[in-house]
């Protein structure tokens, strides 16, 4: 439990520094970056140690949830370290810490997930896509809150920690674009590498993921051709992300935790 505890403490310390930066009007302070990077390193090593003991990857519910949290933390540290949206860490790092805590307490299994290199590639692409698009959903919520505050002329102190509205919107669509590419690769490798979809109880996951891909694609097309932005972009982003959460974690929760079957 030493590495998870170290990661938890470092995640919370990075969050505290980001909160202080936002409260004191210094949103671009960098003292939190090494703390977050070390937290992510210990987070990753927690999974690596478990895989060494299992002699294979662990992709069960709590493990997958923790890996998505790790991916979000790494992306947030990369974003914030370059001066873009460091305030995102105030939300992401506690979420990453909670996901790791859930894995440390409930997530250990006695067997590895049986995956050859092709299915491992598919799984890693899926986790990266979910992490990236989950960040996009959080950015959409920040965008909605910022627009709402500006419309009501309530310039709260937390607005100082956010970039200008147009910059935040640009970051949102760049993140969606990256996530869309990763989700496309996930679906493609699933079609090519995964066999017997009916036997593996994956039809519902494929359908919901495909619907999410269509919504994200329509949003990007609407942005390019029609200049979609603001509340429309937020609504479409959150709808697509909800479908993706149901596709992956919804199905894993039902099959693994309620029905005790492997997805």
């Amino acid at each position: 439990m030493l590495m998870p505890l170290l990661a938890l403490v470092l995640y919370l310390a990075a969050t505290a520094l980001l909160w202080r930066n936002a409260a004191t009007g210094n949103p671009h302070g960098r003292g939190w970056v090494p703390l977050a990077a070390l937290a992510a390193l210990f987070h990753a090593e927690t999974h690596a140690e478990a895989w060494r003991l299992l002699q294979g990857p662990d992709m069960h519910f709590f493990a997958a949830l923790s890996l998505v949290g790790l991916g979000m933390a790494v992306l947030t540290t990369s974003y914030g370290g370059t001066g873009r949206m460091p305030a995102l860490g105030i939300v992401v790092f506690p979420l990453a810490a909670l996901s790791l805590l859930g894995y440390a307490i409930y997530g250990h299994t006695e067997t590895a997930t049986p995956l050859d290199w092709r299915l491992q590639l598919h799984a890693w692409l899926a986790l990266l896509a979910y992490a990236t698009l989950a960040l996009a959903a959080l950015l959409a919520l920040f965008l909605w809150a910022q627009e709402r505050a500006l419309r009501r002329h309530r310039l709260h102190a937390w607005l100082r920690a956010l970039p200008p509205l147009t910059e935040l919107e640009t970051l949102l669509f760049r993140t969606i674009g990256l996530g869309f590419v990763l989700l496309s690769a996930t679906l493609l490798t699933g079609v090519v590498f995964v066999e017997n979809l009916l036997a593996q109880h994956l039809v519902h996951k494929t359908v919901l993921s495909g619907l999410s891909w269509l919504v994200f694609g329509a949003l990007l097309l609407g942005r390019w051709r029609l200049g979609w932005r603001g509340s429309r972009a937020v609504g479409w982003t959150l709808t697509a992300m909800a479908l993706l959460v149901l596709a992956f974690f919804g199905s894993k929760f039902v099959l693994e935790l309620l029905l005790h079957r492997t997805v």
Side-chain angles (χ1 to χ4, degrees), residues 27-260:
H28 300 297
R30 297 290 188 276
W32 61 272
V33 174
L35 296 177
L38 278 174
L41 180 63
F42 287 126
H43 192 158
E45 181 58 27
T46 300
H47 285 276
E49 179 64 24
W51 295 355
R52 284 193 289 269
L53 291 174
L54 292 174
Q55 297 183 335
D58 181 4
M59 294 291 181
H60 294 89
F61 179 82
F62 287 104
L65 193 65
S66 178
L67 287 168
V68 170
L70 172 61
M72 293 175 68
V74 170
L75 288 170
T76 299
T77 304
S78 301
Y79 276 4
T82 57
R84 293 178 294 179
M85 196 61 187
L88 194 60
I90 295 174
V91 177
V92 170
F93 294 146
L95 289 177
L98 284 173
S99 71
L100 177 58
L101 183 62
Y103 176 60
I105 296 175
Y106 302 109
H108 295 293
T109 63
E110 297 180 358
T111 59
T113 306
L115 300 174
D116 62 19
W117 71 267
R118 298 169 301 174
L119 294 181
Q120 285 193 42
L121 174 63
H122 170 69
W124 282 115
L125 286 170
L127 292 172
L128 286 172
Y130 299 141
T132 305
L133 293 169
L135 277 188
L138 288 177
L139 288 170
L141 289 174
F142 275 111
L143 180 64
W144 170 80
Q146 189 179 39
E147 282 193 329
R148 186 169 181 267
L150 290 173
R151 282 198 305 270
R152 297 186 176 192
H153 303 288
R154 295 179 180 175
L155 303 180
H156 302 285
W158 59 264
L159 285 174
R160 293 178 298 183
L162 299 180
L165 197 63
T166 54
E167 184 179 335
L168 178 55
E169 194 171 68
T170 299
L171 182 58
L172 168 63
F173 277 98
R174 286 179 179 174
T175 305
I176 292 173
L178 174 59
F180 182 75
V181 171
L182 290 169
L183 183 57
S184 300
T186 300
L187 294 175
L188 179 61
T189 54
V191 170
V192 174
F193 295 146
V194 178
E195 299 177 355
N196 301 321
L197 290 177
L198 289 174
Q200 297 184 42
H201 317 289
L202 296 177
V203 171
H204 53 287
K205 180 189 294 186
T206 304
V207 171
L208 290 170
S209 297
L211 288 174
S212 177
W213 181 85
L214 288 174
V215 175
F216 276 123
L219 173 58
L220 291 173
L221 182 62
R223 170 73 170 180
W224 174 52
R225 299 291 296 179
L226 303 173
W228 287 359
R229 55 184 304 175
S231 58
R232 179 173 302 194
V234 171
W236 281 64
T237 301
L238 296 180
T239 299
M241 191 61 212
L243 289 168
L244 205 55
V245 169
L246 288 174
F248 190 67
F249 288 108
S251 62
K252 271 187 167 294
F253 179 82
V254 172
L255 289 173
E256 293 184 13
L257 301 185
L258 297 183
L259 300 180
H260 304 291

